[in-house]
Amino acid sequence: MEELRIEANGNLGPIDSSRIPRYAGAAAFARLPRLDQVARADVAVVGVPFDAGVSYRPGARFGANHVREASRLLRPYNPAWDLSPFEQAQVADAGDMAVNPFNINEAIETIEANALELTGAGTKLVTLGGDHTIALPLLRAAAARAGQPVAMLHFDAHLDTWDTYFGAEYTHGTPFRRAVEEGILDTEAICHVGTRGPLYGKKDLDDDHRFGFGIVTSADVYYQGVAETVAKLRDRIGDRPLYVSIDIDVLDPAHAPGTGTPEAGGITSRELIEIIRGLRGMNLAGADVVEVAPAYDHAELTGVAGSHAAFELVTLLADNAAGTGGQASGYARQALRGGPKAAAVAGPEGQESFE
Ligand SMILES: N=C(N)NCCCC(=O)O
Ligand SMILES: [Zn+2]
Ligand SMILES: [Zn+2]
């Protein structure tokens, strides 16, 4: 079948869902072209079907394709910012990395090497996991490309700064401790968002604090609201190269049941999307959406949430590639009251920083 695609500004866009039903054909993220169908890409969405690092329910190896399936319903215009990311930048689906499911160390090396290869010509990556182990090699590649340790916003119910499980150093509960040890994170500008749930002990928090992490808990987002959360995060990070890692379990299980280690009391998908939108114009180096485990999903809730989170990340990167960041437009222009969009556009001046 012919692929009837939307094209604009020399960028090959998604299959046109007004001419080919959106449920037809093979799934690529947002019905975008494959990387081998375009000459170059500003932004690539890539899958990492790997879940050998999980401590509880398995299945995140199927997450990337589940998010791709759910992403068929995305439309190409993002009204929050009056942006058509696939027109403003070339975005493509780079397919899946072929990682060894039986050897975690080798898998980590493969992910790092593939991420470096994909970003060679300046392409920015949005990676679909996979379990959270994969953030470590992705951060290595992001820091190598940035030429310096990167700031990080880590959306997650969990800290993921634990030391080992069963003596294993590389698991989905440990990537950010390893990243601090490796010196690839800018420890002046790293923060967890959405943290909640029981820990093993107080030492978990003491260690995490010692590594330099700030914490905006799920309860903080509820009590302070999105606007204040965004302002604090922007203040903390400034213009540093920023990696954004989104564990889908940051969402309440009501919004994202399809994940391996769910915790009650999470943020909503609306809050997550609005916080991501609040990062507009920041110096985004790369991002991931991980821990989608479709076997536990219902009605594609988690796939839809993951696909929208990824779409907002792609919008941020496309916006940066096109140099259009920071202008009030779209819904922001039509807003009746100030809110996070207004705050994000206005910037973080005058906001307190947090410890
Ligand atoms: N990264 C995720 N999703 N979970 C980490 C949970 C580690 C634990 O079992 O304590
Ligand atoms: Zn988690
Ligand atoms: Zn995690």
Side-chain angles (χ1 to χ4, degrees), residues 132 154 156 160 172 247:
H132 224 152
H154 168 222
D156 201 324
D160 290 356
H172 79 153
D247 184 328

Side-chain angles (χ1 to χ4, degrees), residues 132 154-160 162 172-173 196 246-250 259-263 290-291:
H132 224 152
H154 168 222
F155 294 84
D156 201 324
H158 308 100
L159 301 169
D160 290 356
W162 287 292
H172 79 153
R196 64 190 187 275
I246 300 178
D247 184 328
I248 206 67
D249 72 29
V250 72
T259 195
T261 47
E263 310 281 348
V290 299
E291 297 283 348

Side-chain angles (χ1 to χ4, degrees), residues 68 72 99 138 143 170 179 198 227 245 256 269:
R68 285 190 181 101
R72 292 172 181 277
V99 292
L138 295 169
Y170 298 100
S245 186
S269 48

Side-chain angles (χ1 to χ4, degrees), residues 120-339:
T123 303
K124 295 288 197 304
L125 288 186
V126 174
T127 305
L128 306 176
D131 77 49
H132 224 152
T133 313
I134 71 170
L136 176 66
L138 295 169
L139 277 167
R140 286 181 188 162
R145 286 288 168 226
Q148 64 184 94
V150 290
M152 180 177 70
L153 285 181
H154 168 222
F155 294 84
D156 201 324
H158 308 100
L159 301 169
D160 290 356
T161 51
W162 287 292
D163 192 4
T164 58
Y165 287 83
F166 290 80
E169 287 179 294
Y170 298 100
T171 78
H172 79 153
T174 58
F176 304 122
R177 190 178 188 119
R178 298 290 92 79
V180 170
E181 290 167 354
E182 292 182 17
I184 55 179
L185 289 176
D186 179 341
T187 54
E188 296 294 307
I190 49 179
C191 190
H192 309 292
V193 183
T195 318
R196 64 190 187 275
L199 300 173
Y200 296 95
K202 186 176 179 330
K203 183 174 180 300
D204 297 349
L205 283 178
D206 293 342
D207 287 350
D208 192 80
H209 182 70
R210 185 161 42 83
F211 299 147
F213 282 92
I215 296 181
V216 178
T217 66
S218 173
D220 290 335
V221 175
Y222 172 69
Y223 285 115
Q224 297 169 11
V226 169
E228 193 173 326
T229 301
V230 165
K232 285 181 174 180
L233 297 175
R234 293 185 74 101
D235 191 28
R236 174 104 167 195
I237 287 153
D239 59 5
R240 294 172 167 93
L242 169 67
Y243 189 86
V244 174
S245 186
I246 300 178
D247 184 328
I248 206 67
D249 72 29
V250 72
L251 298 180
D252 191 87
H255 296 252
T259 195
T261 47
E263 310 281 348
I267 67 172
T268 65
S269 48
R270 179 178 59 226
E271 288 166 333
L272 176 62
I273 286 167
E274 283 302 309
I275 295 172
I276 301 170
R277 287 178 179 164
L279 308 180
R280 189 175 185 203
M282 294 183 79
N283 184 11
L284 199 57
D288 63 55
V289 179
V290 299
E291 297 283 348
V292 173
Y296 306 95
D297 205 4
H298 302 281
E300 239 179 12
L301 295 178
T302 318
V304 169
S307 73
H308 280 255
F311 178 69
E312 296 299 330
L313 293 166
V314 167
T315 303
L316 291 178
L317 288 166
D319 186 34
N320 285 351
T324 48
Q327 297 146 26
S329 52
Y331 288 154
R333 190 188 54 210
Q334 287 171 241
L336 295 177
R337 280 174 281 140

Side-chain angles (χ1 to χ4, degrees), residues 95-106:
D96 285 343
M97 298 184 188
V99 292
N100 189 332
F102 303 108
N103 184 329
I104 295 182
N105 290 347
E106 188 189 312

